[in-house]
Amino acid sequence: MLSFKILSIFPKYFVSPFMDGLIKDAIDRSDLTIDVMDIRDFTDDKHKTVDDTPYGGGPGMVMKPGPIVSAIRHAKSGEDDYRVIVFSPRGRKFDQKAAKACAAYRKFILVCGRYEGIDERVTRFYADEEISIGDYVLSGGEPAALVFIETVARLAPGFVGNSQSVIDESYENGLLEYPQYTKPRDFEGHAVPEVLLSGNHKDIQEWRSRQAWELTSQKRPDLLASSGTYTGDVPARSDKKSGGKNG
Ligand code: ADE
């Protein structure tokens, strides 16, 4: 059972995203629970204040530590096996490798910041990890929490019906996924590559792996550089042949 507890000041943001698709299926099977908690419920003043001006001056408001830490404590309800994650553009970049590392955990508390950020003491002393979903600035951590849940849940056994489709996906072996085609065989004069109609599994496999290499070197050459980011079992480059327009 996977469990995500989301702490946000905009709980309505999460109303529809979990009502469809594989996430809903997993919730219906009781393989997944998602609880959205409103940080304002953990304030102690009548205005439900969650933010204040920054010490040292400067623009904008900062989220106060008290309500967030109370919400984290409530979410844990005495259990220590939660992974507490704060979303922020300053965090460790979230990629497939990071998602796999996170998938080792089953229970998460996801803290969504707003305004200019959250009081540093929350991240330092009450969270296990600070994660960024990319080098850009969102208005808050809510979209990041959605991306995180979707990516980590996909890695849980049984979440995706056909486990081979997870293995073949982009990034799984350090490459982008090969191109896919379905019916019709000819769409407005654009034919499906002949090899895919051949029924020869070895040829199809070879074509797909060559395509994955070529697509990756065209679109994301950075993935091929031995940067150490991707540790997948990357096929040897010697299998790269020139195969005409479609191969
Ligand atoms: N909050 C604002 N920007 C963010 C980002 N890029 N990733 C995660 N949380 C964020």
Side-chain angles (χ1 to χ4, degrees):
M1 158 78 86
L2 264 180
S3 161
F4 297 95
K5 295 190 175 175
I6 305 171
L7 277 44
S8 166
I9 56 165
F10 294 125
K12 287 205 292 289
Y13 182 92
F14 297 97
V15 170
S16 70
F18 308 126
M19 286 167 61
D20 269 317
L22 294 176
I23 297 260
K24 177 186 183 294
D25 295 346
I27 292 170
D28 289 349
R29 286 196 308 271
S30 302
D31 285 347
L32 172 64
T33 60
I34 298 176
D35 298 300
V36 184
M37 296 167 55
D38 187 344
I39 295 169
R40 286 191 198 281
D41 290 343
F42 298 88
T43 51
D44 51 15
D45 64 311
K46 76 171 193 283
H47 299 293
K48 297 185 177 288
T49 310
V50 289
D51 60 327
D52 212 328
T53 51
Y55 276 121
M61 301 290 269
V62 176
M63 289 183 78
K64 290 153 64 71
I68 299 178
V69 170
S70 297
I72 292 173
R73 289 206 176 105
H74 185 86
K76 284 186 172 174
S77 52
E79 294 175 34
D80 257 352
D81 50 349
Y82 277 94
R83 186 87 180 150
V84 180
I85 292 171
V86 168
F87 293 105
S88 126
R90 277 184 354 195
R92 178 160 77 106
K93 187 136 126 210
F94 190 60
D95 56 15
Q96 195 66 20
K97 190 177 165 215
K100 281 185 175 173
C102 290
Y105 300 90
R106 310 270 79 202
K107 294 159 87 176
F108 300 89
I109 293 171
L110 308 179
V111 181
C112 305
R114 281 265 153 183
Y115 308 110
E116 298 304 309
I118 66 179
D119 188 296
E120 183 67 17
R121 290 165 290 187
V122 175
T123 313
R124 284 243 182 127
F125 303 113
Y126 301 90
D128 299 304
E129 207 172 341
E130 188 179 22
I131 283 182
S132 161
I133 59 163
D135 294 341
Y136 38 76
V137 181
L138 305 163
S139 302
E142 284 79 4
L146 287 183
V147 168
F148 182 88
I149 291 174
E150 175 83 17
T151 315
V152 172
R154 281 183 71 75
L155 295 170
F159 183 84
V160 177
N162 177 358
S163 55
Q164 186 63 34
S165 54
V166 175
I167 292 166
D168 283 349
E169 273 170 353
S170 291
Y171 303 110
E172 265 314 299
N173 56 7
L175 298 175
L176 300 180
E177 193 187 8
Y178 51 79
Q180 299 275 25
Y181 296 86
T182 185
K183 296 176 186 67
R185 190 167 164 162
D186 186 299
F187 180 70
E188 300 191 346
H190 306 291
V192 170
E194 210 48 52
V195 62
L196 298 178
L197 312 170
S198 68
N200 182 326
H201 292 299
K202 186 165 167 287
D203 285 359
I204 292 171
Q205 199 49 50
E206 272 174 24
W207 180 86
R208 285 180 165 166
S209 112
R210 198 161 60 239
Q211 287 286 316
W213 266 110
E214 286 176 4
L215 278 177
T216 310
S217 57
Q218 281 160 20
K219 296 180 190 234
R220 292 292 306 276
D222 56 304
L223 297 181
L224 297 178
S226 54
S227 62
T229 307
Y230 290 87
T231 56
D233 185 17
V234 179
R237 260 223 113 162
S238 57
D239 73 349
K240 191 172 184 289
K241 298 181 208 118
S242 157
K245 188 165 177 285
N246 285 315

